[in-house]
Amino acid sequence: MIISLRETADRLMAANSLILTAHVNPDGDAIGSCLGLKYILETLGKKVQVIIDDDLPKFLSIMPGIDQIQKPEADNYEADYLVILDACLDRVGTLPLKCKAPILNIDHHGTNDNLANYLYLDADSAATAEIIYRLAKAIGVKFDRDSATAVYIGLATDSGYFKYSNTTPQTMRAAAELLETGIKPETISEAIETKDYTVVKGMGTALQTLELFADGKIAGIFLDYELTSTLETTEGFIDLIRVIDGVDVSVVLKVVEPEVCRVSMRSKQTDVSKLALRLGGGGHKRAAGCTIKKPFAEAKQYLIDEIIKSLGV
Ligand code: 5GP
Ligand code: MN
C-alpha cells in the first residue's frame, strides 16, 4: 500500500521496536539512510537494530556507527516493523524470511515492485537519504554531526557529489542544512574517494577491456571471472568510461560467480532503468543494474544486443 510521508512518520513514531535494512551490495545511500533513520528513531526512544545481509564496503568506513550494523545471523527477529530502505523486497537478502514483522518500505527507485505492506516512494528524491532528511523534519528531530555525516554521504554519493541530473534545489538545501552541523564536505569526500594503490592499478587492468559499440554510443568494461577475482573492488570503474565523448550508455559487466554476471549501467539519454527492469534488475533512468545468469561471453553479447535495442528509448 502506498502511503504518504506523513503516514510514514506517524507509523514510525507509533512503533516501539524496529529493524532497519537496505539492499545487498550496500552503497553510501543504503547505509547512510539506515544510520540516519536509526538516529531519528533512537532520539525518539525506540529500540532499533540495523541488519544488512552483506559485507559492508571498505570505502564507507568513515561512516559513523557503521560498526554497529549486523548481519542476519539469528533465525528469528521480532519487531513492530521491518523497515526496508533504498530497495524493494527482492534485493535485501534473507532478512524478510527471518523477520515476519510488517514491512515499511522507504525508497527512491522508480522500479520499486510495491510488494511491501506500506511503501513511501519518491522517485524525484536524489537519494533515500533525502527522504530521511525530510522525515527528520516531519518528526521534528535535528541531526547531530554523526547522523548528519551519514545522511550527507547518502545524498553526496547518490548524486555524484551534487552533479547528476537527480540533484535538485531540495537536495542542495538538505545538504546545506546538514553542513550547518559543522561537518566538512572535503573530509568526507576525501575519505570516501581515497583508494589503495592496488585498486588504482586494477582500474588500469580493467580499462584494457574497454570497448565501444553502436558507433561509439555504448562503452563497456567486461571483466571475466579470472580478472574479477584479481580485483578488490570495481567501485567507481564506471565513472572512468561514462565521460567518453559521444557515449550514451556505459556498462561494467563482471563475472561474480561462474555464470553469474553483475551489470552496472549509466546513461545520458537512454532510460536504463527500463532496460534493467526487463533484465530482472532495476534502478533509475540514469543509473541502473541487474544480474545476468549466463556464461561471460554469452552475457556480454546479450547485454550489448539489449542495450542496442533500447538506445534512445
Ligand atoms: P550500481 O551500478 O551503482 O550498483 O547501481 C545503480 C543503481 O541501480 C542503484 O540505484 C542501485 O540501487 C540500482 N540497482 C543496481 N543493481 C540492481 C538490481 O539488481 N536490482 C535493482 N532493483 N536495482 C539495482
Ligand atoms: Mn539510493
Side-chain angles (χ1 to χ4, degrees):
M1 183 170 81
I2 301 276
I3 59 171
S4 64
L5 188 74
R6 186 68 254 168
E7 184 174 345
T8 308
D10 290 343
R11 286 190 176 277
L12 292 171
M13 285 193 288
N16 290 315
S17 72
L18 304 103
I19 293 177
L20 314 184
T21 193
H23 54 82
V24 292
N25 188 20
D27 57 13
D29 189 27
I31 297 174
S33 297
C34 284
L35 295 175
L37 183 58
K38 177 174 185 274
Y39 171 82
I40 298 172
L41 296 170
E42 284 180 344
T43 306
L44 297 172
K46 318 287 181 197
K47 184 170 168 273
V48 189
Q49 266 178 290
V50 181
I51 302 175
I52 295 179
D53 194 4
D54 208 345
D55 294 333
L56 307 176
K58 198 173 130 198
F59 78 96
L60 289 174
S61 46
I62 188 204
M63 188 88 87
I66 195 167
D67 50 325
Q68 289 158 31
I69 299 177
Q70 300 163 298
K71 279 196 180 170
E73 266 140 17
D75 294 330
N76 184 34
Y77 289 95
E78 305 266 339
D80 294 334
Y81 285 109
L82 172 61
V83 183
I84 298 182
L85 295 163
D86 198 39
C88 48
L89 265 86
D90 69 346
R91 257 183 103 212
V92 293
T94 59
L95 192 56
L97 302 171
K98 298 172 167 181
C99 177
K100 294 294 171 197
I103 294 175
L104 176 55
N105 189 189
I106 302 172
D107 191 15
H108 74 132
H109 291 92
T111 52
N112 189 295
D113 57 15
N114 192 8
L115 290 177
N117 301 86
Y118 306 99
L119 169 65
Y120 178 70
L121 176 66
D122 180 12
D124 294 327
S125 283
T128 301
E130 194 175 314
I131 304 175
I132 299 302
Y133 165 84
R134 296 212 315 276
L135 264 176
K137 287 246 145 172
I139 293 174
V141 170
K142 283 204 174 353
F143 290 113
D144 63 1
R145 283 174 68 118
D146 283 355
S147 52
T149 301
V151 177
Y152 180 87
I153 290 174
L155 287 177
T157 52
D158 259 29
S159 66
Y161 292 89
F162 312 101
K163 67 174 183 254
Y164 299 155
S165 61
N166 58 0
T167 307
T168 66
Q170 284 77 5
T171 320
M172 293 291 217
R173 280 192 200 101
E177 201 167 302
L178 294 165
L179 291 181
E180 299 283 2
T181 61
I183 61 174
K184 296 276 175 250
E186 73 278 19
T187 312
I188 292 171
S189 65
E190 263 176 49
I192 290 179
E193 291 178 336
T194 295
K195 292 176 175 59
D196 288 344
Y197 169 77
T198 49
V199 171
V200 178
K201 289 284 270 189
M203 286 177 160
T205 313
L207 276 176
Q208 300 293 318
T209 73
L210 174 61
E211 277 183 73
L212 294 178
F213 305 87
D215 295 327
K217 291 193 191 69
I218 304 170
I221 290 178
F222 303 92
L223 311 170
D224 61 18
Y225 189 59
E226 205 188 341
L227 183 43
T228 306
S229 317
T230 66
L231 300 169
E232 206 178 298
T233 177
T234 54
E235 177 66 34
F237 285 21
I238 199 151
D239 297 317
L240 303 171
I241 61 169
R242 56 193 285 280
V243 294
I244 298 169
D245 193 17
V247 167
D248 172 11
V249 178
S250 33
V251 296
V252 171
L253 180 148
K254 62 176 177 184
V255 187
V256 289
E257 282 170 46
E259 309 213 357
V260 181
C261 304
R262 274 292 306 160
V263 175
S264 273
M265 295 187 276
R266 299 292 182 268
S267 81
K268 297 210 174 73
Q269 271 142 31
T270 300
D271 182 345
V272 284
S273 72
K274 281 193 196 151
L275 169 59
L277 200 58
R278 218 172 55 234
L279 304 186
H284 310 284
K285 281 184 187 159
R286 304 276 162 264
C290 61
T291 301
I292 301 177
K293 292 192 175 154
K294 291 182 191 294
F296 177 61
E298 218 178 292
K300 176 180 167 186
Q301 192 57 50
Y302 172 70
L303 177 65
I304 298 304
D305 290 346
E306 289 296 321
I307 299 173
I308 290 173
K309 274 196 244 161
S310 38
L311 273 181
V313 180

